[in-house]
């Protein structure tokens, strides 16, 4: 996994972390983390995921399967989604909301009005808690 160790070190330096700081974020000893950069050890899947989340890159990028660090999904020039947005779309699809929204173009407008109401309620709730 030569690519992993190089990308890990490059990302750490690029983001201004010391080895001990990143080790702390990953909940491990500095020497255990150092072994990753030296190529003497490989991370667990859980650690690999945490590294990707910490730096905002994909696990495919860390593993050298792609040279694109972005975790965005680009469908065309006008539509790019982040991982978080893609997860929302997936959840909406699983709940069959996308299908229902697509049945009538006015449904998106209705959903937007409902969301504005909810967002306003959350704002009021947060203001009252302060």
């Amino acid at each position: 996994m030569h690519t992993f160790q190089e990308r890990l070190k490059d990302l750490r330096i690029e983001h201004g972390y010391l080895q001990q700081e990143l080790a702390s974020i990953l909940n491990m000893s500095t020497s255990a983390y150092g072994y990753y950069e030296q190529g003497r050890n490989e991370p667990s899947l859980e650690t690999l995921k945490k590294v990707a989340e910490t730096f905002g890159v994909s696990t495919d990028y860390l593993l050298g399967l792609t040279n694109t660090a972005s975790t965005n999904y680009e469908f065309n020039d006008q539509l790019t989604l982040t991982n978080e947005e893609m997860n929302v779309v997936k959840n909406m699809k699983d709940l069959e909301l996308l299908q229902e929204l697509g049945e009538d173009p006015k449904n998106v407008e209705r959903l937007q009005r409902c969301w504005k109401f909810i967002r306003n309620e959350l704002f009021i709730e947060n203001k009252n808690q302060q």
Side-chain angles (χ1 to χ4, degrees):
M1 251 194 197
H2 187 66
T3 302
F4 173 74
Q5 69 191 56
E6 291 174 342
R7 290 192 172 171
L8 181 62
K9 183 176 182 178
D10 290 345
L11 285 166
R12 176 182 59 79
I13 292 169
E14 179 182 322
H15 286 81
Y17 288 115
L18 298 173
Q19 282 189 351
Q20 64 199 50
E21 293 171 321
L22 196 52
S24 177
I25 291 170
L26 298 174
N27 199 26
M28 64 178 56
S29 69
T30 303
S31 61
Y33 172 80
Y35 286 165
Y36 293 156
E37 285 192 8
Q38 296 168 22
R40 294 175 62 185
N41 203 351
E42 295 177 351
S44 67
L45 293 176
E46 183 179 324
T47 301
L48 184 66
K49 182 181 175 193
K50 180 73 174 174
V51 170
E53 290 170 351
T54 300
F55 293 125
V57 299
S58 69
T59 54
D60 283 355
Y61 176 75
L62 289 172
L63 297 174
L65 300 174
T66 181
N67 289 325
T68 304
S70 172
T71 57
N72 292 339
Y73 297 86
E74 187 171 323
F75 296 95
N76 59 42
D77 292 340
Q78 298 173 348
L79 180 61
T80 302
L81 300 177
T82 65
N83 272 343
E84 293 80 14
E85 293 167 335
M86 192 64 167
N87 287 334
V88 169
V89 170
K90 182 186 179 312
N91 288 338
M92 290 178 72
K93 182 166 178 60
D94 291 346
L95 296 170
E96 298 181 2
L97 291 174
L98 288 180
Q99 180 181 346
E100 289 181 42
L101 286 170
E103 290 173 0
D104 182 351
K106 291 182 181 180
N107 285 342
V108 174
E109 294 171 16
R110 291 178 183 119
L111 179 63
Q112 184 179 23
R113 285 195 308 269
C114 290
W115 180 246
K116 285 180 181 179
F117 173 79
I118 292 168
R119 193 172 51 205
N120 187 50
E121 289 295 306
L122 291 171
F123 175 77
I124 292 170
E125 198 174 287
N126 287 338
K127 190 175 179 181
N128 288 338
Q129 290 177 355
Q130 294 177 354

